[in-house]
Structures are given as structure tokens and as C-alpha cells.
């Protein structure tokens, strides 16, 4: 089976490298340095984003839904116009549910099969091939591709029809986002009241208040490190998707709305290039405290 892979970013590069070690892969990215990494792992270099007419499966790992849709369906220049009928497109990007359905329908008209397969896990897990992949689409197709996909993800879940992969990923992301926003609000409050940040973090991460967000971000906050995770400005698209679904389906989401306000404030204060732990800076500024390990309060 011949694979194409487009998008060699923070997650896509290690995914493509792992796939190329055991499969025939042709890769493309606009950045030369990213492409060189994939080639070093065994991938062939695509001449352009439209050099995939000979692949059986095309995998995308791109920044957002607009990029995915344009890359595939742009009139005359979209990749889909060069793919043969029967090819499978797998989108591992995190994009909007409604856009996923639209892309699937447009590909179906061309005889191209589609799976939405967003992944969960940070770069280290991508490098180790230990991602969770949530796949929406035809169950039989998922099973056919499972051996190859296992090179990138050790937890592959068929979640239902097209779009269910994105919805499942969104549910997970929104809970993570809410937990991160809660940490940003409550830790500075603890510091304002005179509690030691390191001791408080230790109690949280060994008690009932812990979460994956606290286990990951609290050690980073204590050290003042805010550049190891996914940037806030990129993560914000999940909150937008959550809000759209809430409005479209009339589902109250007050906690999500409150967390979204914290993200928005952090972005307005210029922290968009930093990871979600940087939201703590908003409340540190408001309360005039620091949650660092050696901070003087």
C-alpha cells in the first residue's frame, strides 16, 4: 500500500517518520527542513502538493479546517483533482465537524473515500508512536488500514460515522481546555492568599483536583516554562468549534463559555504564541502574584 503524507508540522513530522519506517510513503511540506526530516526516516519526496496521483492513501496533518479544505478542494489546483477514484484520504488534522462533513461529501462525488481521524497526544507521544487516533467513517476501511495506522498510534478507536472522530476529539480537547483555564484562575488565588505554589501544586497533583492538565502544566508553571505545548492561538479553534456547536444545537455550555473568556483574555494580552499554561499570567497580573517555585509573595 502506497501512502502520501502532507503536513510535517509538530505532530505530522513524527507521524510521517514512523509511518515511513515500515511503509512506502511520499511526503510533502512547504518547509524544506521539515521535508528533510521525513526523507531521512525513509520517505520519498513529493515534487509538489499535487504529486500524489500514484498513492493508495493520502494522509493530511494540517493546521486548521480552512487549510485542509483549500488544499483538497481548491478549484483546478486542489489535491483531490489529481487523485484517482478509489483513493482514501485520511485527515488527522483537528478541524470543524461541519467542515468535515462538507469535505467528505465533496470527495465522495469524485469517488474518493474519506476518514476523519484526529489524534490526541503531544509531540513526545507522536514521536513514540503512542497517539490516540479517533476515526470516523466506514468500519471495514478502518480495519483494513489499522496495521499501517498502528505505526503512528497505539490506540486506534473507530468512533462511528464520518465526523464522529472530530466530535470525539473535540469533547476531549474541551475538557482539557477547561481544566487548563481553571488552573490558571485558581493557582494565582492560592498564591494571593499566601500558599506556597510548589506545595499547592503537589497537593493538587496527588489529590482529587488533579487532571492531565495539572500534571502537565503545574510543573511548567512553577519553573516559568510556557513554550513546550500547543500554542494558545492554535488551540483557540477548539473553543470556537465548541461555541458553534453549542449555538447551533441550543446546548447550554456555561463552563465552556467561562473558560473561553480566559483564553480570549490571554490572547488579547499577547500570549498566543505560548502554551495553555501561560493563561496563568492573566491572573498573576490581576492579583499581582507569581506562581513560580521560588517566588516571593
Amino acid at each position: 500500500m502506497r501512502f502520501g503524507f502532507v503536513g510535517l508540522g509538530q505532530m505530522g513530522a513524527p507521524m510521517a517518520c514512523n509511518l515511513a519506517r515500515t511503509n512506502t510513503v511520499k511526503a510533502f511540506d512547504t518547509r524544506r527542513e521539515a521535508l528533510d526530516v521525513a526523507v531521512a526516516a525513509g520517505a520519498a519526496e513529493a515534487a509538489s502538493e499535487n504529486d500524489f496521483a500514484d498513492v493508495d492513501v493520502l494522509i493530511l496533518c494540517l493546521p486548521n479546517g480552512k487549510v485542509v479544505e483549500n488544499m483538497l478542494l481548491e478549484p483546478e489546483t486542489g489535491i483531490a483533482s489529481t487523485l484517482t477514484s478509489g483513493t482514501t484520504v485520511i485527515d488527522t488534522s483537528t478541524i470543524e465537524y461541519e467542515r468535515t462533513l462538507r469535505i467528505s461529501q465533496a470527495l465522495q462525488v469524485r469517488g474518493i473515500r474519506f476518514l476523519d481521524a484526529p489524534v490526541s497526544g503531544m509531540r513526545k507521544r507522536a514521536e513514540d508512536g503512542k497517539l490516540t487516533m479517533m476515526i470516523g467513517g466506514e468500519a471495514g476501511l478502518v480495519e483494513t488500514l489499522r496495521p499501517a495506522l498502528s505505526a503512528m498510534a497505539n490506540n486506534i478507536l473507530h468512533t462511528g460515522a464520518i465526523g464522529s472522530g472530530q466530535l470525539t476529539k473535540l469533547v476531549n480537547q474541551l475538557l482539557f481546555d477547561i481544566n487548563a483555564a481553571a488552573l490558571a484562575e485558581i493557582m494565582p488565588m492560592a498564591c494571593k492568599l499566601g500558599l506556597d505554589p510548589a506545595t499547592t501544586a503537589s497537593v493538587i497533583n496527588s489529590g482529587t483536583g488533579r487532571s492531565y492538565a495539572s500534571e502537565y502544566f503545574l510543573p511548567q508553571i512553577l519553573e516559568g516554562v510556557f513554550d513546550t505545548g500547543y500554542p494558545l492561538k492554535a488551540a483557540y479553534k477548539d473553543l470556537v468549534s465548541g461555541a458553534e456547536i453549542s449555538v447551533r444545537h441550543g446546548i447550554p455550555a456555561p463552563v465552556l463559555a467561562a473558560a473561553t473568556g480566559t483564553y480570549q483574555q490571554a490572547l488579547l494580552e499577547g500570549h498566543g504564541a505560548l502554551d495553555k499554561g501561560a493563561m496563568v499570567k492573566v491572573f498573576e497580573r490581576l492579583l499581582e502574584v507569581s506562581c513560580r517555585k521560588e517566588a516571593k509573595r
Side-chain angles (χ1 to χ4, degrees):
M1 196 174 293
R2 297 161 298 178
F3 289 86
F5 203 110
V6 177
L8 305 173
Q10 186 178 42
M11 300 295 287
M15 290 168 64
C17 288
N18 286 333
L19 185 67
R21 292 187 179 102
T22 54
N23 297 273
T24 300
V25 177
K26 181 190 289 186
F28 177 80
D29 195 276
T30 55
R31 295 167 301 126
R32 180 72 248 177
E33 63 275 16
L35 189 54
D36 287 342
V37 171
V39 170
E45 178 180 339
S48 72
E49 65 267 30
N50 286 319
D51 185 24
F52 293 101
D54 58 340
V55 304
D56 302 298
V57 179
L58 178 64
I59 300 174
L60 306 178
C61 190
L62 297 168
N64 57 58
K66 183 177 181 180
V67 174
V68 172
E69 189 167 18
N70 289 344
M71 183 74 74
L72 282 173
L73 302 175
E74 188 73 20
E76 299 181 8
T77 61
I79 297 176
S81 65
T82 69
L83 299 178
T84 59
S85 177
T87 302
T88 298
V89 171
I90 303 176
D91 182 24
T92 68
S93 320
T94 299
I95 73 172
E96 304 89 341
Y97 171 68
E98 297 291 342
R99 194 187 298 265
T100 292
L101 298 183
R102 187 162 66 242
I103 290 171
S104 176
Q105 290 163 2
L107 293 178
Q108 186 178 10
V109 170
R110 300 172 184 264
I112 298 169
R113 298 181 293 183
F114 180 76
L115 298 174
D116 64 296
V119 295
S120 179
M122 295 185 179
R123 184 179 178 90
K124 180 62 170 64
R125 287 176 58 190
E127 291 170 348
D128 294 339
K130 294 182 177 179
L131 295 170
T132 292
M133 182 176 285
M134 297 143 277
I135 308 181
E138 183 188 334
L141 183 57
V142 174
E143 292 311 309
T144 298
L145 294 170
R146 185 181 292 273
L149 297 178
S150 294
M152 300 179 288
N154 67 337
N155 188 23
I156 297 172
L157 305 171
H158 179 238
T159 56
I162 293 291
S164 63
Q166 293 294 347
L167 284 176
T168 304
K169 169 71 181 290
L170 181 62
V171 167
N172 182 67
Q173 287 300 106
L174 293 180
L175 287 170
F176 182 50
D177 293 340
I178 289 168
N179 279 319
L183 282 175
E185 179 179 333
I186 300 303
M187 273 299 290
M189 180 180 74
C191 295
K192 181 70 172 181
L193 296 173
L195 295 179
D196 176 69
T199 301
T200 303
S202 178
V203 170
I204 293 170
N205 278 340
S206 62
T208 55
R210 73 184 181 278
S211 64
Y212 181 80
S214 72
E215 291 173 347
Y216 184 83
F217 288 120
L218 282 178
Q220 308 281 52
I221 290 170
L222 292 174
E223 298 295 337
V225 176
F226 300 104
D227 60 356
T228 62
Y230 201 54
L232 278 166
K233 61 185 177 183
Y236 184 65
K237 67 177 184 291
D238 295 327
L239 297 160
V240 173
S241 293
E244 288 177 345
I245 289 172
S246 173
V247 171
R248 183 181 297 273
H249 296 279
I251 300 171
V255 177
L256 175 59
T260 300
T262 295
Y263 276 76
Q264 291 168 335
Q265 186 65 35
L267 292 172
L268 287 172
E269 293 188 14
H271 303 312
L274 303 178
D275 62 36
K276 296 175 185 180
M279 287 188 288
V280 75
K281 291 174 174 282
V282 171
F283 293 94
E284 287 179 330
R285 178 186 60 78
L286 288 172
L287 301 183
E288 299 181 332
V289 297
S290 173
C291 294
R292 307 303 165 263
K293 185 182 295 183
E294 305 297 334
K296 294 180 180 179
R297 299 177 305 283

